[in-house]
Amino acid sequence: MWRAAALALLLAAPAAAQEALPPGYPPKIGEIGGTLGGQPVAWETFDFSIGAFDASAWFDHVDGIVLSLVGYLPGEPEGQTGRLLVRARFDGWPAAGQAAAGVTVEIFDFEMDDPRLTSEGRAAELLLDSVAYDDGPGSGYGSAGGVIRAELCGVDGNDSPCRPFEARFQTLLQYSGL
């Protein structure tokens, strides 16, 4: 009997947590839009932070400085299908006009473990138009914008033909561990 009660509490916890979230949560912090194979595509970035850094756009210090952008289909911050992941490594501190040294672009069907389309093994680029801190270095928050270009191809037996991808992004972001 206690197991049934515990299970009921566990299942009810996410619903209770959702009810406690402020209106408009999570706030949208940016946009990514362009074309994939000539067709328009769009994503949004969000700040899921509640008491700790948890935005879907951030710079981190991992094997150089890495910009990560996780884009969600418009209005679907909880959605799994169609998520975009862009990772771009910089050799030094990023500045406007700088291109990334290594870029990977992926679009996922469901979970972030299974990309449907990827640029891996192909040329991909990210060029920054702007990079800024909100309150100077060390503030933890800022913004970035730029252009992403890649050729995206199907993976794991996916017959999808390779398609050109080009998008512009502008987003607020977090500086994690810098």
Side-chain angles (χ1 to χ4, degrees):
M1 178 172 234
W2 67 269
R3 287 184 185 170
L7 180 59
L9 283 174
L10 286 174
L11 293 175
Q18 290 288 349
E19 291 173 15
L21 297 175
Y25 176 84
K28 180 177 126 179
I29 59 172
E31 296 180 342
I32 305 166
T35 60
L36 174 60
Q39 299 298 311
V41 290
W43 294 271
E44 297 173 334
T45 55
F46 292 91
D47 187 353
F48 298 98
S49 303
I50 296 181
F53 278 179
D54 192 16
S56 70
W58 71 96
F59 274 112
D60 201 346
H61 190 261
V62 178
D63 188 29
I65 296 175
V66 176
L67 170 62
S68 297
L69 302 171
V70 179
Y72 297 83
L73 294 177
E76 297 185 29
E78 307 273 327
Q80 299 290 320
T81 301
R83 249 198 283 187
L84 171 74
L85 173 63
V86 178
R87 294 189 46 86
R89 186 178 53 77
F90 294 86
D91 289 331
W93 187 247
Q98 185 176 4
V103 178
T104 304
V105 178
E106 296 177 315
I107 298 175
F108 294 81
D109 273 334
F110 299 106
E111 298 296 325
M112 297 281 294
D113 297 334
D114 275 342
R116 172 175 50 105
L117 297 171
T118 184
S119 68
E120 192 168 323
R122 291 169 179 76
E125 64 181 3
L126 184 143
L127 177 64
L128 292 173
D129 291 340
S130 62
V131 178
Y133 289 109
D134 280 0
D135 296 317
S139 72
Y141 296 94
S143 62
V147 177
I148 308 159
R149 291 183 189 91
E151 180 180 41
L152 300 183
C153 300
V155 294
D156 297 332
N158 184 334
D159 295 359
S160 176
C162 294
R163 294 175 268 177
F165 172 78
E166 184 167 343
R168 294 196 64 73
F169 70 95
Q170 185 64 48
T171 186
L172 300 176
L173 50 77
Q174 294 172 333
Y175 293 93
S176 178
L178 300 178

